């Protein structure tokens, strides 16, 4: 198995390979498409070998190249049913924030652009219940982990590696991996509990570098306190 991280601006994309091919986690920013093509060439990733594109959640910086990748790679797009409407409309919902610095950045339009549109996509596989990709030859589980958005999902590979999208942020500005932006803090907390109980040990967030279970648990304790206040 191989895990490659590609930074599409500040948003991560992950290429995960197993014997039967690649799963791509998220589709990055449209404005960084050239860098994505270069990355795939450098790593000799054949577009035809990408079997699935797993959409952690429908935000413009994670689905910006999705339509284009769908046409180019013919990979099947996996999305949660609670995110389908946004994906098919090409539009994302408003987010909330609890931290002062995120509020400031948000008001300046630094965290999200004024326009929240992206190319609409018709997905191939809708997730309603937690499932896995064993029928396609992948050791990968799919978990609904809402909170950042209602349709957010995590991909668990080899029962150990968790691709969590924006359920966790690993930004240099904070030692905690709690996301500054969310739709529902209590639901977010329940998803962290679910992730904690899943037994994963390595985390691959939508923003920032990979981190391990100890950093997750430190942040989990803080999130528990915060989630009772918000
Ligand atoms: Zn993001
Ligand atoms: Zn997001």
């Amino acid at each position: 198995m191989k895990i490659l991280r590609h930074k599409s601006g500040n948003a991560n994309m992950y290429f995960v390979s197993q014997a039967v091919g690649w799963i791509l986690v998220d589709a990055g920013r449209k404005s960084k498409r050239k860098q994505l093509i270069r990355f795939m060439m450098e790593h000799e990733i054949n577009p035809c070998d990408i079997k699935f594109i797993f959409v952690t959640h429908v935000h413009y910086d994670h689905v910006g190249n999705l339509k284009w990748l769908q046409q180019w790679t013919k990979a099947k797009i996996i999305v949660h049913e609670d995110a389908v409407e946004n994906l098919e409309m090409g539009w994302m919902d408003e987010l909330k924030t609890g931290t002062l610095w995120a509020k400031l950045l948000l008001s300046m339009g630094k965290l999200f652009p004024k326009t929240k549109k992206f190319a609409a996509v018709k997905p191939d596989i809708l997730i309603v219940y937690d499932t896995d990709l064993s029928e396609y030859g992948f050791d990968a589980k799919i978990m609904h982990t809402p909170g950042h958005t209602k349709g957010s999902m995590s991909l668990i590979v080899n029962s150990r590696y968790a691709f969590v999208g924006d359920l966790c942020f690993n930004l240099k500005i904070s030692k905690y991996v709690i996301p500054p932006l969310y739709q529902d803090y209590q639901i977010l907390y329940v998803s962290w509990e679910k992730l904690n109980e899943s037994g994963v040990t390595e985390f691959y967030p939508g923003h920032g570098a990979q981190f391990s279970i100890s950093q997750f648990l430190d942040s989990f304790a803080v999130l528990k306190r915060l989630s009772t206040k918000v």
Side-chain angles (χ1 to χ4, degrees):
M1 196 204 60
K2 205 193 272 184
I3 297 171
L4 300 175
R5 173 189 177 203
H6 172 62
K7 286 169 72 180
S8 183
N10 70 351
N12 290 327
M13 298 172 65
Y14 298 99
F15 291 84
V16 182
S17 83
Q18 289 186 341
V20 288
W22 294 92
I23 300 174
L24 175 56
V25 178
D26 285 340
R29 292 170 184 270
K30 187 185 170 195
S31 61
K32 303 293 175 189
R33 188 172 294 170
K34 273 196 195 121
Q35 291 87 330
L36 169 62
I37 296 170
R38 204 178 308 135
F39 179 87
M40 286 175 64
M41 283 168 67
E42 275 167 15
H43 290 88
E44 296 179 350
I45 298 168
N46 185 339
C48 307
D49 292 336
I50 301 175
K51 306 298 176 197
F52 296 104
I53 303 174
F54 180 82
V55 179
T56 62
H57 67 295
V58 177
H59 278 161
Y60 81 101
D61 49 339
H62 299 261
V63 298
N65 294 303
L66 194 59
K67 175 92 182 160
W68 171 76
L69 279 167
Q70 185 183 39
Q71 288 166 345
W72 185 39
T73 66
K74 310 281 185 265
K76 299 226 176 312
I77 310 289
I78 305 177
V79 72
H80 193 270
E81 69 161 357
D82 292 346
V84 170
E85 202 183 329
N86 284 100
L87 192 62
E88 292 186 345
M89 297 275 287
W91 180 259
M92 47 185 260
D93 296 328
E94 294 290 332
L95 288 168
K96 294 177 213 157
T97 179
T99 64
L100 207 58
W101 63 266
K103 266 184 190 146
L104 193 68
L105 289 173
L106 202 63
S107 69
M108 290 160 66
K110 295 273 187 198
L111 283 177
F112 282 115
K114 290 272 180 279
T115 167
K116 300 181 177 71
K117 284 185 186 159
F118 49 84
V121 178
K122 254 206 147 6
D124 301 286
I125 299 176
L126 285 193
I127 303 301
V128 181
Y129 302 106
D130 290 1
T131 183
D132 64 54
L133 296 174
S134 57
E135 65 179 296
Y136 304 101
F138 285 99
D139 181 348
K141 291 191 196 87
I142 295 172
M143 275 184 4
H144 185 209
T145 49
H148 176 67
T149 66
K150 62 182 190 291
S152 289
M153 299 194 295
S154 297
L155 186 73
I156 312 295
V157 175
N158 291 5
S159 307
R160 187 172 161 198
Y161 308 104
F163 298 86
V164 298
D166 289 359
L167 186 64
C168 302
F169 270 61
N170 191 12
L171 303 176
K172 291 198 177 85
I173 199 165
S174 169
K175 64 175 176 162
Y176 299 115
V177 292
I178 298 167
L181 297 161
Y182 52 85
Q183 270 184 346
D184 189 305
Y185 224 65
Q186 271 71 34
I187 292 174
L188 185 90
Y189 177 73
V190 174
S191 291
W192 273 52
E193 265 184 329
K194 192 171 169 181
L195 211 52
N196 187 35
E197 284 159 14
S198 72
V200 299
T201 55
E202 299 296 323
F203 296 79
Y204 295 83
H207 301 271
Q210 175 201 349
F211 60 92
S212 60
I213 186 74
S214 58
Q215 199 173 346
F216 177 80
L217 290 175
D218 286 349
S219 302
F220 192 31
V222 175
L223 183 69
K224 189 171 191 166
R225 284 203 303 275
L226 291 174
S227 65
T228 56
K229 286 184 198 154
V230 175

